[in-house]
Every structure is written in structure tokens, then in C-alpha cells.
Amino acid sequence: MAEIGIGLMGLGVVGSGVAQVLLQKGTALSQQAGITLALRRVLVRNPHKPRPLSLPEGLLTTNPDDLLNNPQCPIIVEVMGGEEPATTYIRRALEAGKHVVTANKEVIAKHGPHLFRLAQQRQVYLLFEASVGGGIPLIGPLQRDLLANDILSIRAIINGTTNYILTRMARDGVDYHTALQEAQAKGYAEPDPTNDVEGIDAVYKLAVLALLAFRTPVPLPQIYREGITHLQAKDFRYAHELGYEIKLLAIGRKENGTVQARVHPAFVPSHTLLAKVDGAYNAIEVQGDLVGRVVFHGLGAGPAPTSSAVVNDILTIARSVKAQARPLSWVNLHTALPVRPLHDLTTQYYLRLNVADRPGVLAQIAHILGDLSISIASVIQKDADPSAGTAEIVIMTHPAREGAMQEALGLIRRLPVVREVSNLIRVEAE
Ligand code: NAP
Ligand code: HSE
């Protein structure tokens, strides 16, 4: 059989998983592809680091040119992570006429349009199935199987670490810091969890999905982002009383030639599929004009699920090379659609306030909301603290404009009877 060589950049969580699959299942996979998959070089930072697998002698290198200038590596698999030097290496590989597979959402989110054009010019593949949802087939279906659809919306739980933390807080009433420590102990959260818990990882993934679903770049600063660090165990108790779960959602919508893109914790009705996605699982709901709602569910991280997506991309390329076919899967973008600012959003809100426990307080708050056309759907008063003379008020509103809600919050904060605006969480209706 003919051979096709692979240069693997990165031998960490994902890279080790990919190398393991290529070494252990290589013969069977090569038979499926009709061409032998040969792992030729592996780029790492530290060649002396202990690894969970043993590679054949002479594969490891710390010199990217051993892959990028190597005619024996027509496929480059980038699983190093980070923006640089990954972007430069991917660009150089494409310029050299090499096919590229990457799991790097940050690179695709920031440089996707440029790299897509480059791949098309050079007539090579740039595949990135593992960049969103790990092993869940999602990029392929958006690029191929749902192509006849106008995609109207995406609502997704695309960060397993935060979903694990939120599930522990919701199910077992543990506080945020305890749940985070557990997520770190289980290897879901990094020692520095900022990217996950502040919603940055989800923003990158939403930007990648918007490229495919809406065929538009969405500049990252225009994606509204709010993490999960301000959620407290009591928010979950109130959510349950009101018939909701709290999930970190990535939401993209196309409406009247504009797009909306936001990542934030949201109240999700308990009976819906998204509300039932627990632990480190991901779920991505896509709504198309023809297909209706489709939900993709599975493990969004980890060496085995992620290598499933990466190796599948390698197989797509190998088969195409074997068939001497031109790549078919370029992403053709439309002109950039305007991004709607958050203050245009209309949604319901959950508002938790700590206030003085005395007559007339609720009336003052209701007055501010009423003046800004924000209608109250329900109010519950909780957790009175007689020694401090305070009480907790939870307000659910009817749909209202975000701009009006933010203005109301500013005024409510200034009321002498309000000790604290403890939380504002948007409600994502069915
Ligand atoms: P990781 O465990 O930190 O591994 C990174 C690897 O890249 C290491 O082997 C490192 O070398 C190598 N590397 C980093 N910078 C390098 C440089 N400048 N030159 C040479 N080698 C370099 O990362 P990971 O978790 O596998 O993630 C890799 C990519 O996959 C990221 O884009 C991530 O977002 C994406 N992804 C990860 C998961 C997951 O479950 N982890 C899931 C989906 C997508 P050393 O080993 O020598 O330090
Ligand atoms: N850190 C990500 C998560 C996995 O927790 O979902 C890599 O995309």
C-alpha cells in the first residue's frame, strides 16, 4: 500500500491520545483508508518529559522545521494549543501545500477566515472537528449534513469543566470553590481554571460554531461573556424551586441579517434536554429552518474522545489523497454580519437582592422596574436575617429589554434600602 506521512505537533493530553490510536489501531485504520498512515515526526517542547506512551526511536523533535519542511509529512496535526506559535505553524503548513488537522479552537476562532482562504488557495484541507465538543461529531455535520439548512440558532453547553462544577453545585449543594477543586482533582479543570470558569473557552467555541452555522466571523470582543464564579449554592436552590437548572450556555442566533452571540449562565427549564446534560458532558442544540432542532450530546474533552475526532479528520484526508480527489470541505464565509449588542436582547430575568427587611422596600424596587417597563412575574422573599435586619428577595421578570434591565439595576443599587444586588441571571426559554 502507498503511505501518507503525519507530522504531529504536540504530545500532551490530545497528542498522546492521537499517537496511541495511530500506533495501536494504525493497521486497521490504514486498511479502511486504503493507504498506510505513518506517524513520521512528533514535535514537543521538552523531549525529556516522561510520556504515557513509548514512541518508536527518532520520532521526537523540538524543531518545527523537521515537520514543516519535511516532504514526508504531507499531513500536519496541530495539538499544541494556544494562539502562537500554533497559528504560525498552521499557516506555514498550509502555505507549503500540506493538509492540516487541528484541535485548536483559539486559532480557528481568531484566524479561521484567513486560514480557510489560504487552504482554499492551496487546495488543501484544514479540518478542525476536535476544536468544539471534543469527540462529538459537530463540525462535520454543520459543514456537510446540515448544509441545506439556514441555521437559525445554536444553544450549547460546550465547556465540560464548568458543566461539571455546575452539576455538583446543583445536585449536591456544594459551593463553587469546593466544586472547582474537585474538577481540578479529576483533571477536568486546569491548575489555572480562568479560561473555563470565565467563559473564555466557550467564547472561542461559539465563534467557531458561528463561522460554520451562520457563515460569518464574529469578532471575539463582540461576544458577550460572563463566567460562573458569581453563582452561589442558593441560586441553584431558588432555580429548582422555580422549575429551572442553571447552565453555562453559549448562544448564537441569526435574526434579520444580524447575529447575536453570548456566553453566560442561564436559567434553563428543568424538563428540557439541555437542563439534563450533567457532569463533564457537552450538548449542542442546532436549529435549522428545515431540520428543526437537532441535539448533539457526548464527551467534549479527554484524550480518547478528542482523538476520535482528530484521527477521523486524518482519515478524511488520507482517503481523499488516496482517491486523488480535491478537498471539498472549505468554509465559504458570507460578508460579515453585524453583531447585535446585548442591550437589544429581550429575555426574562432572575434577580436576587439583599435588602433591608422593612415595609415599603419591595414597592421601591417595583417602582423602578415598572418605570422602565419591566414587568414582575413573581417575587419570593427568603432567608430573613433578623440580627442584620435584612432579607433576600428573588424576582422573576416577564421578558424585558436588557438595556432597561441594566438601567434598573443601576437605580436599584443606589436605593439606601438595597444592601446588594446579589445576582442577575438571564432565563433561556424553551
Ligand atoms: P497539553 O496537554 O498542554 O499538550 C500540549 C502539547 O504541545 C505538549 O506536548 C507540549 O510539549 C506541546 N507544545 C506546546 N507548545 C509547544 C511549542 N511551542 N513547541 C513545541 N511543542 C509545544 O494540551 P492538550 O490538552 O493536549 O490540548 C491541545 C489542543 O487540543 C488545544 O488546542 C486544546 O484546546 C485542544 N483540545 C483539548 C482537549 C482536551 O481534552 N485536552 C479537548 C478538545 C480540544 P511538552 O509535552 O514537551 O510540554
Ligand atoms: N477545557 C475544555 C472543557 C476542554 O472543559 O470543556 C477542551 O476544549
Side-chain angles (χ1 to χ4, degrees), residues 355-364 381 388-391 393 416-419:
V355 299
D357 193 8
R358 66 171 114 102
V361 171
L362 195 54
Q364 292 181 52
Q381 179 167 334
T390 59
I393 294 181
V417 292
V418 172
R419 303 279 181 270

Side-chain angles (χ1 to χ4, degrees), residues 62-325:
T62 55
N63 181 358
D65 292 343
D66 288 345
L67 289 74
L68 294 170
N69 294 344
N70 187 342
Q72 291 201 312
C73 296
I75 301 179
I76 295 293
V77 176
E78 185 280 307
V79 284
M80 298 188 308
E83 185 177 4
E84 285 296 351
T87 308
T88 302
Y89 294 170
I90 291 173
R91 188 177 39 72
R92 280 185 56 195
L94 296 173
E95 279 168 351
K98 295 178 187 296
H99 303 287
V100 172
V101 174
T102 179
N104 196 322
K105 65 223 140 197
E106 186 174 355
V107 167
I108 300 298
K110 292 181 176 171
H111 306 282
H114 168 71
L115 296 172
F116 298 157
R117 275 195 300 276
L118 193 54
Q120 189 158 12
Q121 277 163 15
R122 301 300 154 118
Q123 302 270 302
V124 289
Y125 277 102
L126 169 59
L127 299 182
F128 47 96
E129 182 61 66
S131 64
V132 185
I136 306 170
L138 176 63
I139 306 293
L142 280 171
Q143 270 185 286
R144 205 181 39 240
D145 310 296
L146 296 173
L147 214 51
N149 285 263
D150 203 1
I151 304 295
L152 309 172
S153 71
I154 289 171
R155 302 192 305 174
I157 295 169
I158 36 178
N159 185 270
T161 304
T162 46
N163 204 49
Y164 176 84
I165 294 171
L166 297 183
T167 302
R168 285 287 287 135
M169 292 176 79
R171 284 281 168 86
D172 308 301
V174 301
D175 64 37
Y176 167 75
H177 291 287
T178 308
L180 171 61
Q181 277 167 8
E182 275 183 26
Q184 285 170 323
K186 285 184 176 286
Y188 297 136
E190 308 266 333
D192 176 359
T194 312
N195 266 13
D196 290 323
V197 300
E198 294 297 350
I200 298 166
D201 175 81
V203 161
Y204 291 149
K205 290 170 177 168
L206 180 59
V208 174
L209 292 179
L211 282 169
L212 298 169
F214 309 135
R215 305 270 152 190
T216 185
V218 180
L220 297 179
Q222 290 184 36
I223 300 182
Y224 174 76
R225 173 174 64 79
E226 197 183 297
I228 63 163
T229 55
H230 56 84
L231 296 173
Q232 291 184 4
K234 57 174 72 172
D235 291 312
F236 292 86
R237 284 206 308 274
Y238 298 148
H240 291 163
E241 273 183 42
L242 293 159
Y244 294 92
E245 293 293 338
I246 304 176
K247 295 292 179 190
L248 181 71
L249 288 190
I251 300 168
R253 277 210 175 81
K254 194 163 78 168
E255 279 167 351
N256 307 320
T258 65
V259 285
Q260 191 193 91
R262 50 197 165 100
V263 168
H264 55 72
F267 269 39
V268 182
S270 300
H271 62 275
T272 57
L273 276 176
L274 285 178
K276 297 183 201 301
V277 177
D278 277 348
Y281 276 81
N282 285 193
I284 301 95
E285 179 201 274
V286 177
Q287 188 172 11
D289 62 340
L290 303 176
V291 75
R293 282 186 192 175
V294 190
V295 180
F296 300 84
H297 177 258
L299 283 172
T306 312
S307 60
S308 159
V310 171
V311 174
N312 210 62
D313 280 350
I314 296 172
L315 285 171
T316 300
I317 295 169
R319 280 181 161 154
S320 164
V321 168
K322 162 80 179 157
Q324 298 182 330

